Amino acid sequence: MKLLTHNMLTSHVKGVTKGYPLLIKATEVKVNDVDFNPQFVCRMIPKLEWSALVEAADLLGHRQDLPSELVPDYEKNEDFLKKVHRALLEVEVIEGCLQCPESGREFPISRGIPNMLLNEDEV
Amino acid sequence: MECEGNYVKAGRRSKEEKKVFRKQLRASHTLLKHEGIRTTRQPTKSLVVANGGLGNGVSREELSAVLREMGAMENLVMPPHKPFAFVTYRCEEDATNAHTRLNGQKLLCAENSVVLYLSYVNSVTHQKAVAETLPQGLVLVEDFVSPEEEAQLLAAVDWSSAHEDVSAQKALKHRRVKHYGFEFRYDNNNVDKDKPLPACLPGECLPVLERCLRDGHINIMPDQLTINQYESGQGIPPHVDTHSAFEDTILSLSLGAKAVMEFRHPDGRVVAVVLPSRSLLVMKGESRYLWTHGITPRKFDLVPACESQSAALASPDVRTQSGLTLSKRGTRTSFTFRKIRHERCRCAFPSACDSQRTTSPSPASPPSLPCCRADAALLEEEYVHRVYDAIASHFSSTRHSPWPHVCQFLNLLAPGSVLADVGCGNGKYLGVNPELVAVGCDRSGALVQICADRGFHAFVSDALSVPLRTASCDACISIAVIHHFSTQERRLAAVRELVRLLKPGGQALVYVWAFEQEYNKQKSKYLKDHNRDSSPTQNSSKKTQEPHGEPDTQRHSYYPAEDKLSVHTNRTAFNSQDLLVPWHLKEGNKQDGKDSSCRLSSRTDPRPGCDSSREATHNPDSKPCSDTSGCSSAPVFHRYYHVFQQGELEQLCSQVAGVKVKSSYHDQGNWCVVLEKDPSLQMI
């Protein structure tokens, strides 16, 4: 699971209202090599929950001193964009789980894939 | 079988010759396209004889008699179930003689007549010689009873007092059944252990059973007997004898005629066993508890041509000259002796055991449309989720070309748009527009794994509850997904979920399989690929149901829900909206599609943007024997579909608030809509 995916995922356990963002508990993390596309990263940033990204990257030890808040004119800052690229698209949780912040329910991540299926009684 | 060897001479006019030539070319082309057989114009020693195959009802004896007259025949290969044969002569001249004299000629056989088309081939394709053994625990003892005993036993059966109405049975062309000792009930596939039948086993059976005891096949005397009488063309569907009803060893005595019984293992292995008349079949252990056994309803069986070492096994051995031939069925009566089991079964095969499986439904009963959510979930688990997980890799290898209209939708989205692909399968659409922030989800872990391997963002989830925030997506697609939901409520809920994900003004594209495969007089590729040329004469046993009434499109009333779900015949028009569609799993399929059968599949449909089947169909099996006995060795999975009638998808979407249908169209056998979420909606 890459942090881009994590940024979009939320807990959908029945009755939960504060299910975002999910807490990451990682037991195995990998860093991949992904082609850097500055325009793509640029366009992606406004769509993200920035603080959730920074928190998650921090937890995994790949914050790379990304700021807690977006700085203006980041579009031209290639250095910054590269760091975002790495956090968002290169860092990958291979094994671990995602925890609902409200209910505590854990969703396993296995072979890089989060399994978000709920049981019949949780839907 | 006698061959009359009657030749109908083709006329010498060149018009007639041209016609034959055209047909021969067509036969060659079909052989190439569907079997990978290359023919050549240059004379060689070997010929392929189209229409002269076991699959056409031509026997080895009939064909070889004719071919031998043409010259010194060295080898005749007749692959089982195929509509062709290969003949090799000692010299080219003989082959040329055969070609000249037989091409375009009608061959009259005992049961039918065929027109043969011969072409030269450079090589004769040999099948893998599979060394097959009988299923574990299965023993066949030939000549177990003498002809006199056989006659006595057959005479001992009093059919007049059989429980079933005999005339009704005959009308239904059903096999005749009679029970002694205890009655076997076909409604629950079990025995009424508290109600023994008044008639116990006939005295004539006693010597036979004592022989079984003495020979060590059984330790206890059986107390239940079921007699089945099969006329030619009758059979019994594959099944495992209910574990909780009967003890381990089951004895089956075959009388009157021989037949081929097929044993199937859950992993897909099939072993065909010839049961000669007067033989005893002893089923124990794995062959009794795990393998299913059945008799395909047909009039001819494939049996070894000569009574050789592999008499029991009806599998081809190309090293011997004999190979296989057709054996016409006679009336076979089986006496099946069993011992009633009184305590729970504790066998080592819990997956097939009704004592040990608590939640599973009876495997013998076909599924019906669900009436409640729990049933719907169970049906989908069995006929959608488990199937996709099992076939994922093969399925993915057949899903390589994204459809143009879907690509168009994706390419028109603004760069940086967030896209959710709900039911993304193998991620086919996730990479179409690299400018998008695309995330996919699917119910099948196996398919999502394929997405991850390709570097896409994907997770496992159900389409009814997608763990993405409300109004977080600029666009959604759901291609060939919603038709897997088995109730209208669930299909509606799936659409609602898609809409929930959309930002105001966002668009969703939904594709579902259409009931109407022919639209604007254009047949969909799904129908067009249906092969008419070389369909084998043998029919597979299909679980057919009663025919349905005609649709009433005037009143826009949809098909009434059928009680039991019928199994669809691939590549034909639909006759029901709710059905099970077969998928024939190809063994040894690699994801990269390098397997030859995959290559063959993609070769038959090289046009871009169209899967050789459509997204929602099953394997693009280019072989004509798609769902006939030719592919009986491959496991078959059934997937549940609700195919949509014209207007039905739109009507479904119209029930969702805050969304309107922007466009709707028919695309290659699918109904499609583009939905737009109301731009003025205030989001919380």
Side-chain angles (χ1 to χ4, degrees):
Chain A
M1 181 202 69
K2 310 222 174 127
L3 293 185
L4 171 59
T5 308
H6 168 259
N7 206 263
M8 299 180 64
L9 284 172
T10 183
S11 167
H12 54 154
V13 175
K14 189 161 75 174
V16 162
T17 50
K18 294 190 169 64
Y20 182 90
L22 292 156
L23 298 158
I24 305 179
K25 294 183 177 178
T27 54
E28 189 187 327
V29 180
K30 193 169 94 163
V31 182
N32 303 293
D33 231 330
V34 178
D35 285 342
F36 173 56
N37 182 337
Q39 288 103 334
F40 182 73
V41 177
C42 233
R43 287 195 202 108
M44 219 180 0
I45 292 173
K47 312 272 179 172
L48 302 170
E49 281 295 325
W50 183 254
S51 53
L53 172 66
V54 173
E55 265 171 43
D58 197 34
L59 189 91
L60 297 177
H62 290 280
R63 183 174 176 157
Q64 313 155 82
D65 65 58
L66 285 171
S68 318
E69 273 173 30
L70 276 172
V71 289
D73 280 341
Y74 61 75
E75 300 92 335
K76 304 188 181 99
N77 189 336
E78 182 151 309
D79 206 48
F80 171 77
L81 292 176
K82 277 211 178 118
K83 288 180 184 162
V84 175
H85 167 85
R86 188 182 147 103
L88 215 42
L89 302 172
E90 292 188 328
V91 174
E92 191 180 2
V93 178
I94 304 293
E95 300 288 331
C97 70
L98 293 169
Q99 189 178 41
C100 170
E102 189 176 316
S103 68
R105 208 286 201 191
E106 289 185 351
F107 299 94
I109 302 174
S110 170
R111 294 176 68 190
I113 294 166
N115 184 342
M116 307 301 295
L117 284 175
L118 291 169
N119 302 321
E120 276 294 293
D121 48 331
E122 294 173 295
V123 169
Chain B
M1 278 186 277
E2 300 303 299
C3 175
E4 295 175 33
N6 238 337
Y7 307 134
V8 175
K9 278 221 178 328
R12 292 208 183 105
R13 292 164 296 170
S14 66
K15 187 169 151 197
E16 207 42 52
E17 281 170 7
K18 277 189 192 164
K19 193 167 156 195
V20 168
F21 183 63
R22 255 201 336 266
K23 291 202 173 175
Q24 185 203 336
L25 268 189
R26 185 151 156 243
S28 287
H29 178 66
T30 303
L31 286 172
L32 175 63
K33 183 175 173 193
H34 294 280
E35 307 285 346
I37 296 169
R38 285 197 182 282
T39 57
T40 170
R41 300 283 204 102
Q42 287 289 95
T44 62
K45 288 192 241 176
S46 299
L47 297 152
V48 60
V49 185
N51 294 338
L54 289 170
N56 301 100
V58 175
S59 76
R60 172 172 285 272
E61 290 81 3
E62 288 165 334
L63 186 66
S64 80
V66 164
L67 292 172
R68 274 183 218 279
E69 288 184 24
M70 302 297 134
M73 186 178 91
E74 275 197 336
N75 193 19
L76 175 62
V77 177
M78 296 188 80
H81 310 293
K82 295 292 188 184
F84 56 84
F86 293 103
V87 60
T88 305
Y89 287 95
R90 197 173 301 153
C91 60
E92 244 174 57
E93 276 143 75
D94 290 351
T96 307
N97 190 33
H99 185 279
T100 311
R101 292 177 56 194
L102 291 178
N103 193 31
Q105 298 301 330
K106 192 183 278 194
L107 176 69
L108 286 174
C109 304
E111 295 296 321
N112 59 357
S113 75
V114 291
V115 179
L116 304 176
Y117 294 102
L118 284 80
S119 303
Y120 298 106
V121 289
N122 281 316
S123 64
V124 173
T125 46
H126 289 273
Q127 300 135 293
K128 290 177 288 212
V130 176
E132 268 180 27
T133 52
L134 292 178
Q136 191 265 312
L138 194 71
V139 172
L140 182 70
V141 187
E142 299 200 33
D143 294 306
F144 194 75
V145 293
S146 68
E148 292 78 25
E149 285 171 318
E150 177 185 43
Q152 275 177 355
L153 287 162
L154 286 173
V157 187
D158 180 13
W159 287 109
S160 63
S161 61
H163 289 268
E164 317 285 322
D165 178 33
V166 173
S167 56
Q169 275 192 327
K170 274 194 143 67
L172 285 174
K173 295 195 188 297
H174 201 265
R175 70 183 197 279
R176 284 205 292 189
V177 178
K178 189 166 164 70
H179 304 284
Y180 292 87
F182 291 84
E183 188 184 351
F184 185 78
R185 291 176 51 179
Y186 294 93
D187 54 352
N188 64 356
N189 283 325
N190 216 312
V191 167
D192 261 332
K193 299 174 192 181
D194 307 318
K195 296 198 208 119
L197 289 169
C200 56
L201 277 55
E204 287 87 343
C205 300
L206 215 29
V208 177
L209 292 175
E210 276 167 2
R211 195 175 302 157
C212 293
L213 263 175
R214 193 194 61 213
D215 293 352
H217 298 301
I218 43 169
N219 296 322
I220 312 172
M221 282 295 268
D223 53 8
Q224 199 272 341
L225 165 65
T226 294
I227 301 181
N228 282 291
Q229 190 174 75
Y230 305 84
E231 292 188 23
S232 174
Q234 293 174 343
I236 183 169
H239 62 282
V240 175
D241 284 20
T242 307
H243 292 209
S244 66
F246 309 109
E247 296 284 359
D248 191 355
T249 309
I250 293 177
L251 305 164
S252 191
L253 192 62
S254 296
L255 305 171
K258 71 165 166 249
V260 170
M261 177 172 276
E262 278 146 5
F263 284 81
R264 287 180 165 77
H265 191 276
D267 67 12
R269 277 178 287 159
V270 180
V271 179
V273 182
V274 179
L275 304 177
S277 172
R278 296 183 293 108
S279 70
L280 178 76
L281 185 71
V282 185
M283 282 189 281
K284 258 185 173 120
E286 210 184 271
S287 69
R288 178 260 180 275
Y289 285 123
L290 187 63
W291 293 70
T292 65
H293 56 274
I295 295 177
T296 306
R298 37 184 197 217
K299 300 198 170 162
F300 291 89
D301 285 315
L302 282 178
V303 300
C306 74
E307 307 304 310
S308 64
Q309 76 281 36
S310 55
L313 296 169
S315 40
D317 181 2
V318 290
R319 285 189 289 270
T320 69
Q321 292 284 330
S322 53
L324 295 177
T325 188
L326 295 174
S327 163
K328 189 170 181 181
R329 284 229 190 130
T331 299
R332 170 180 171 269
T333 305
S334 71
F335 278 54
T336 302
F337 298 97
R338 299 179 279 205
K339 172 80 188 71
I340 299 292
R341 181 190 292 270
H342 293 284
E343 77 301 328
R344 291 165 56 87
C345 176
R346 295 195 188 296
C347 66
F349 311 96
S351 65
C353 183
D354 64 315
S355 292
Q356 297 175 60
R357 277 172 83 186
T358 43
T359 53
S360 63
S362 158
S365 57
S368 18
L369 268 183
C371 47
C372 64
R373 202 191 78 179
D375 282 350
L378 274 176
L379 178 80
E380 290 156 21
E381 175 63 39
E382 183 77 28
Y383 293 98
V384 180
H385 308 313
R386 275 199 212 168
V387 176
Y388 277 110
D389 272 340
I391 69 176
S393 144
H394 179 211
F395 178 81
S396 174
S397 68
T398 64
R399 294 319 192 244
H400 41 75
S401 316
W403 289 342
H405 283 98
V406 181
C407 293
Q408 191 179 43
F409 176 86
L410 295 171
N411 289 324
L412 287 174
L413 298 171
S417 294
V418 175
L419 170 82
D421 182 348
V422 179
C424 61
N426 66 346
K428 190 163 99 164
Y429 293 109
L430 293 174
V432 166
N433 181 347
E435 309 274 13
L436 303 176
V437 178
V439 140
C441 68
D442 201 275
R443 189 58 174 69
S444 162
L447 286 172
V448 173
Q449 188 64 58
I450 293 171
C451 294
D453 294 343
R454 293 181 175 172
F456 297 131
H457 305 276
F459 54 90
V460 177
S461 99
D462 198 297
L464 296 180
S465 179
V466 180
L468 297 174
R469 287 173 297 165
T470 302
S472 57
C473 301
D474 296 296
C476 297
I477 59 172
S478 186
I479 311 297
V481 178
I482 293 177
H483 52 211
H484 281 311
F485 286 108
S486 55
T487 66
Q488 213 253 10
E489 290 89 349
R490 288 165 83 80
R491 294 188 281 271
L492 180 58
V495 176
R496 284 212 167 99
E497 188 66 352
L498 273 180
V499 172
R500 178 185 72 79
L501 299 177
L502 284 176
K503 292 185 178 150
Q507 292 192 341
L509 176 65
V510 181
Y511 266 55
V512 293
W513 212 358
F515 176 83
E516 302 86 345
Q517 283 297 306
E518 202 168 322
Y519 187 69
N520 279 342
K521 300 200 167 76
Q522 270 281 311
K523 283 201 164 102
S524 69
K525 288 190 185 67
Y526 172 65
L527 283 184
K528 277 190 231 164
D529 284 349
H530 181 61
N531 184 296
R532 290 180 305 265
D533 289 342
S534 31
S535 44
T537 53
Q538 291 180 332
N539 289 315
S540 70
S541 50
K542 295 197 276 270
K543 299 187 208 62
T544 48
Q545 310 292 323
E546 281 72 54
H548 323 293
E550 287 302 301
D552 187 0
T553 46
Q554 263 67 37
R555 286 186 297 160
H556 289 286
S557 67
Y558 304 119
Y559 278 79
E562 286 298 320
D563 225 348
K564 298 282 184 213
L565 291 169
S566 53
V567 177
H568 175 62
T569 306
N570 290 353
R571 300 208 183 280
T572 61
F574 295 118
N575 55 21
S576 166
Q577 279 194 272
D578 294 278
L579 32 80
L580 299 172
V581 178
W583 177 280
H584 297 265
L585 187 67
K586 293 269 187 257
E587 283 146 26
N589 258 292
K590 309 258 186 302
Q591 219 171 296
D592 53 19
K594 293 235 166 79
D595 181 77
S596 62
S597 65
C598 277
R599 227 184 291 132
L600 195 62
S601 313
S602 40
R603 221 169 45 212
T604 59
D605 229 320
R607 287 158 286 183
C610 70
D611 277 359
S612 30
S613 54
R614 333 138 31 267
E615 185 69 22
T617 54
H618 24 281
N619 55 325
D621 196 346
S622 53
K623 293 174 196 275
C625 56
S626 241
D627 58 340
T628 61
S629 47
C631 291
S632 59
S633 57
V636 181
F637 294 89
H638 289 127
R639 287 176 300 166
Y640 166 81
Y641 283 88
H642 170 88
V643 294
F644 283 65
Q645 268 208 0
Q646 182 166 14
E648 189 184 337
L649 181 59
E650 282 183 69
Q651 207 201 54
L652 191 71
C653 296
S654 69
Q655 294 172 60
V656 180
V659 86
K660 75 166 189 252
V661 174
K662 279 291 292 240
S663 69
S664 108
Y665 55 95
H666 186 101
D667 182 16
Q668 278 308 320
N670 295 289
W671 288 118
C672 322
V673 294
V674 176
L675 302 174
E676 189 180 273
K677 190 157 176 180
D678 191 347
S680 62
L681 273 179
Q682 296 298 317
M683 301 312 304
I684 305 159

